[in-house]
Amino acid sequence: MKERKTHIYTILSYCVLITACVIVLYPILWVIASSFKSSGLVGSSLIPKNFTFENYMDIFRNENANFTRWFINSIVISTISAFMTLSIVMPASYACSRMNFRGKKFLLITFLTLQMFPAFMSAIALYTIFAWLRLVDTYLGLVIIYCANTVPFSLWIMKNYFDSIPFEIEESAFVDGATMFQSFTHILLPMARPIIYVVFLISFLGSYCEYLLANIILMSGKKWTLALGMRSLTVSQFSTNWPVFSAISVVSAVPIVILFFLSERYLTSGLTQGAIK
Amino acid sequence: MTFHNCSHLLAVVLSIICPGMGQLLLGKIKKGLSFLGITALFVSAYFLVIRKPIHAFFTLSSFGNVYDSRHILLVGIISLCVVTIYLLFHISNVVQIVTLLKGTENKRRVAIRFKPYFYISGSVFLVFLVIFVPFLFGIALAFTNYNLYHSPPRSHFEWVGLANFTKLFRTSSPWWSQFKAVFLWNITYAVLGSFISFSVGLLLSLVLNNPRIRGRRFFRTVLFLPWAIPSTISIMVFSGLFNTNFGAVNQILESIGFHAIPWFQNKFFARVAVILVHVWISTPFNIAMASAALKSIPNQLYEAAKLDGASRLQAFFKITCPLLMKILAPILILMIAGNFNNFGIIYLLTNGGPAISGSRGIGGTDILMTWIYNLGFSQLQWAMASALTVIVFAFVVVFSLINLKLSGATRQINEGR
């Protein structure tokens, strides 16, 4: 009796998993299939009738779609904001973890709360300020916003990670005459490599295909990022060319998906760590 | 509090009048001088730079060569921030003197060092400029009449007090009925969306946790795919999949004998589509959360339950459920708060549509944030948009306070090294 019950559980579990996988996979396979279909209506089938590489050739030479430009813009902007986030957050989280100073608690609580106020919530104010500072329609403006958006969360997870590294190791280095900077670069940084990857990736992935803030800041088509460019394809007044759009989606998403799964263990633990102790 | 003699009282009084004097009187020369320096710096800055913008802030009249009301507001806010920081410094200086005199000076008293402040300055400056100042600016705008007709640089706007809020909350005004409709759907969207993806995520993580299932790694990888794909791309793909005329979803429905569903033309179906896409995108995160929570439950509890003769179902309901809920409740709150403003899905999928006749521009799936965005950037009703933003801020603050309380983050900081 008990044996049978367990069997039913297992079968039910498989059913749930397989249903979930079908729901997850269908849209993905559909885009991939569509990207190989010849232009026109793409239909619902997952197997292209007239298999063609034409769409992929198209996106790299199409003068209207400027795909390469958007792609490079996105990569450059998100890489710079990731590096900037790291360079700003590393010293700050080091200070918050290893030093005591007046106002530290206030700072941490404020950042924890600010984490819930993403920059686009004050989009109107942000636009006014950045227009005045002449940062609208510049990459720098966008990079600054992306960076500020990730700083509070990154500071928290990095501080928590530094906290988990015992202080004694550094202390012994101090005894041996190391300066604080030396102990930071030679001891803490090598040990904190995982969290550095995580912060870099969170920042990179967060800005790579961001739409809303980019839409406020970047005006001219030449400076568009992937998200803006792709959006312009889907809402164009002429018929949307789904096969080409699908090809662009696949090309833009594949590197990110690979990056995600290469670093999955670090990344998922980093993202869930803030919440679960 | 008793003062031993006159000089102590004098020190307190002096420190209230001018920071640094008290310290000097008590023989703390170095600290006293540096405090005096800060005070002098502030006082001169106040009379040379800050005074005019603050005055202009309250009257919103032009000063110097700044004529644009928005710029006046902005400079005023930053000046007020400087004054606030100075006042905090002033108060803490008095508190320092008093604790010094009471002799109950905290032994773990933190010596003022400049290094940590230097290290955090980058983060603080950036967050101040990009999150905090816009936040204050948005609040200030909500009390002005900044709109199409009072729009700098051609014209200027003024303070109007609570006018925008009374417009919004007077039950006879059209704003109120709009607000009510949008707000109700916003709450439904946030709660339903989070709750469904939370339950689906919990169910899937429980199934994935079952050691009898083969190929768990494979299933896990597949189920995590929506997380790996940039959500902007998935949302745009879904807008094609749900397209009423050529979308794959309708074609499948028709091929198995159903009618095509007007996904983006009908309010109800548009809302269903929005929630479905939300669940598709956010379930992996919930799986990860629930799995991490499951792992954090010590195995001994289950072993003990087994010894006591509890069945697996009993163990689930008596151990797993309550513990999971305790860990995940703050996260659920956090997710609801996040979803309250999860504007990307709606903006990119339906853009707030479908339009409803007689609702003056708000669509069937508009949440507060999309409404605000359109009010501001396309109808130039900046002041009204800001008033709505203030309401959203208030909600997020309430949610984050609940979360802070539930997750015990403050306790964690207090216990920290």
Side-chain angles (χ1 to χ4, degrees):
Chain A
M1 180 63 196
K2 194 157 188 193
E3 193 65 15
R4 226 177 96 197
K5 221 168 146 190
T6 322
H7 270 302
I8 292 171
Y9 274 139
T10 317
I11 290 167
L12 270 179
S13 302
Y14 275 118
C15 288
V16 167
L17 279 178
I18 288 165
T19 318
C21 286
V22 168
I23 294 172
V24 164
L25 282 177
Y26 178 76
I28 297 168
L29 295 178
W30 179 77
V31 187
I32 296 174
S34 303
S35 70
F36 291 112
K37 288 173 186 168
S38 51
S39 56
L41 292 179
V42 284
S44 62
S45 74
L46 293 181
I47 301 147
K49 263 193 211 108
N50 313 311
F51 191 90
T52 171
F53 273 112
E54 198 54 33
N55 304 314
Y56 286 95
M57 311 298 275
D58 248 19
I59 61 174
F60 286 108
R61 61 166 180 238
N62 193 340
E63 292 83 11
N64 304 321
N66 284 325
F67 167 74
T68 7
R69 171 152 238 153
W70 302 334
F71 189 71
I72 293 170
N73 282 349
S74 275
I75 295 278
V76 169
I77 290 180
S78 38
T79 311
I80 295 178
S81 22
F83 273 116
M84 198 163 137
T85 307
L86 262 186
S87 59
I88 285 174
V89 159
M90 257 184 329
S93 40
Y94 178 77
C96 287
S97 169
R98 293 295 192 248
M99 298 171 177
N100 257 327
F101 55 92
R102 217 178 272 274
K104 176 168 124 178
K105 199 176 134 189
F106 177 73
L107 177 87
L108 287 171
I109 293 277
T110 315
F111 272 32
L112 193 70
T113 319
L114 283 179
Q115 198 188 303
M116 303 185 72
F117 293 90
F120 74 80
M121 269 177 77
S122 14
I124 294 163
L126 207 59
Y127 176 79
T128 313
I129 294 173
F130 275 57
W132 198 23
L133 296 174
R134 298 194 193 286
L135 286 173
V136 167
D137 206 18
T138 61
Y139 294 142
L140 180 66
L142 198 58
V143 167
I144 290 176
I145 297 184
Y146 285 156
C147 193
N149 246 346
T150 33
V151 158
F153 180 71
S154 311
L155 181 90
W156 260 92
I157 56 171
M158 207 170 217
K159 176 210 167 268
N160 282 346
Y161 195 89
F162 284 164
D163 281 350
S164 71
I165 300 174
F167 190 46
E168 285 75 39
I169 306 174
E170 284 154 80
E171 253 174 354
S172 60
F174 291 144
V175 171
D176 292 342
T179 63
M180 208 158 208
F181 185 73
Q182 280 173 331
S183 87
F184 177 65
T185 52
H186 284 76
I187 297 172
L188 203 59
L189 274 194
M191 290 176 82
R193 209 169 274 156
I195 197 69
I196 292 172
Y197 290 145
V198 168
V199 168
F200 185 88
L201 280 172
I202 289 175
S203 177
F204 183 87
L205 299 179
S207 38
Y208 175 73
C209 227
E210 200 278 341
Y211 178 78
L212 304 161
L213 294 165
N215 190 30
I216 300 173
I217 296 295
L218 299 178
M219 311 283 179
S220 43
K222 274 185 184 173
K223 291 183 176 164
W224 275 357
T225 56
L226 263 180
L228 294 179
M230 287 171 69
R231 170 77 171 168
S232 79
L233 285 184
T234 60
V235 295
S236 71
Q237 287 172 340
F238 315 103
S239 66
T240 308
N241 192 344
W242 274 100
V244 169
F245 174 80
S246 307
I248 293 185
S249 307
V250 172
V251 175
S252 345
V254 160
I256 300 302
V257 172
I258 292 173
L259 200 62
F260 182 91
F261 282 110
L262 281 182
S263 49
E264 190 218 318
R265 191 172 304 170
Y266 288 142
L267 202 58
T268 49
S269 73
L271 285 167
T272 51
Q273 188 220 14
I276 293 173
K277 287 282 120 47
Chain B
M1 185 168 66
T2 53
F3 294 107
H4 297 302
N5 53 40
C6 246
S7 76
H8 284 189
L9 190 65
L10 188 66
V12 175
V13 172
L14 275 179
S15 76
I16 290 172
I17 296 168
C18 175
M21 298 288 266
Q23 281 86 348
L24 279 181
L25 191 76
L26 294 172
K28 304 224 161 198
I29 306 293
K30 209 168 147 194
K31 197 174 219 176
L33 284 178
S34 61
F35 275 29
L36 264 181
I38 293 173
T39 312
L41 200 69
F42 171 77
V43 170
S44 51
Y46 181 82
F47 284 106
L48 291 176
V49 191
I50 304 175
R51 197 169 52 125
K52 273 187 197 158
I54 288 182
H55 179 73
F57 173 83
F58 288 111
T59 57
L60 277 180
S61 54
S62 53
F63 69 96
N65 56 357
V66 184
Y67 299 106
D68 192 320
S69 316
R70 291 168 302 186
H71 300 169
I72 296 169
L73 204 60
L74 192 60
V75 178
I77 287 171
I78 294 174
S79 309
L80 283 175
C81 286
V82 174
V83 173
T84 315
I85 291 167
Y86 172 76
L87 285 179
L88 287 178
F89 159 77
H90 199 120
I91 292 168
S92 81
N93 141 73
V94 177
V95 171
Q96 266 185 34
I97 288 285
V98 172
T99 43
L100 199 73
L101 291 176
K102 273 164 80 181
T104 53
E105 202 182 342
N106 197 342
K107 288 210 182 60
R108 289 191 309 128
R109 192 180 62 91
V110 183
I112 299 234
R113 288 180 302 168
F114 287 100
K115 225 184 218 164
Y117 295 104
F118 175 69
Y119 286 167
I120 62 168
S121 58
S123 313
V124 171
F125 177 73
L126 207 59
V127 167
F128 181 77
L129 179 77
V130 181
I131 299 181
F132 194 65
V133 171
F135 172 76
L136 295 180
F137 188 81
I139 292 177
L141 275 188
F143 300 95
T144 67
N145 60 356
Y146 183 18
N147 59 26
L148 184 58
Y149 308 107
H150 301 93
S151 160
R154 277 182 295 109
S155 169
H156 53 88
F157 55 80
E158 286 134 22
W159 293 115
V160 292
L162 289 169
N164 294 320
F165 292 94
T166 48
K167 231 194 274 177
L168 206 54
F169 288 114
R170 206 178 44 229
T171 39
S172 59
S173 80
W175 285 103
W176 169 246
S177 55
Q178 282 181 316
F179 175 75
K180 221 168 46 182
V182 172
F183 186 76
L184 269 179
W185 156 239
N186 201 158
I187 290 276
T188 322
Y189 165 67
V191 173
L192 213 59
S194 320
F195 201 74
I196 295 177
S197 43
F198 178 77
S199 331
V200 174
L202 185 59
L203 175 73
L204 288 174
S205 80
L206 284 170
V207 172
L208 282 175
N209 213 33
N210 182 353
R212 279 194 193 76
I213 303 285
R214 280 157 185 243
R216 282 187 293 160
R217 233 193 119 56
F218 166 77
F219 283 122
R220 198 180 136 91
T221 309
V222 170
L223 292 176
F224 270 37
L225 270 170
W227 198 0
I229 299 168
S231 65
T232 315
I233 296 180
S234 348
I235 297 167
M236 288 194 275
V237 167
F238 270 109
S239 76
L241 273 170
F242 279 114
N243 188 296
T244 310
N245 301 319
F246 61 83
V249 175
N250 272 355
Q251 288 191 8
I252 293 173
L253 284 177
E254 276 175 343
S255 70
I256 52 172
F258 286 99
H259 285 292
I261 291 176
W263 285 108
F264 298 138
Q265 285 73 38
N266 175 297
K267 186 170 105 178
F268 174 77
F269 289 115
R271 290 180 171 184
V272 172
V274 164
I275 291 186
L276 286 179
V277 173
H278 173 80
V279 170
W280 192 86
I281 288 176
S282 59
T283 297
F285 178 69
N286 286 279
I287 298 177
M289 279 290 181
S291 308
L294 276 178
K295 275 200 196 101
S296 73
I297 298 176
N299 222 2
Q300 292 97 305
L301 284 179
Y302 293 106
E303 280 158 18
K306 214 172 182 179
L307 281 181
D308 290 344
S311 73
R312 266 174 55 193
L313 219 58
Q314 273 176 322
F316 178 76
F317 282 111
K318 296 275 160 117
I319 300 173
T320 319
C321 262
L323 279 177
L324 270 186
M325 281 306 135
K326 196 161 172 259
I327 303 169
L328 292 178
I331 300 164
L332 190 61
I333 301 278
L334 204 71
M335 279 193 290
I336 293 175
N339 272 345
F340 194 75
N341 299 312
N342 194 339
F343 143 61
I345 290 179
I346 287 170
Y347 189 81
L348 292 171
L349 196 66
T350 67
N351 196 4
I356 302 170
S357 61
S359 64
R360 291 208 322 174
I362 61 159
T365 52
D366 256 326
I367 58 170
L368 287 173
M369 274 321 289
T370 53
W371 190 24
I372 290 169
Y373 197 85
N374 283 331
L375 269 182
F377 287 98
S378 54
Q379 301 178 30
L380 306 182
Q381 299 249 31
W382 305 101
M384 258 342 236
S386 302
L388 285 165
T389 314
V390 169
I391 295 169
V392 177
F393 280 150
F395 256 85
V396 175
V397 168
V398 169
F399 274 121
S400 59
L401 285 180
I402 298 175
N403 174 61
L404 223 57
K405 189 124 188 86
L406 283 181
S407 66
T410 34
R411 201 181 53 235
Q412 192 195 323
I413 294 171
N414 286 334
E415 284 166 2
R417 58 170 94 238

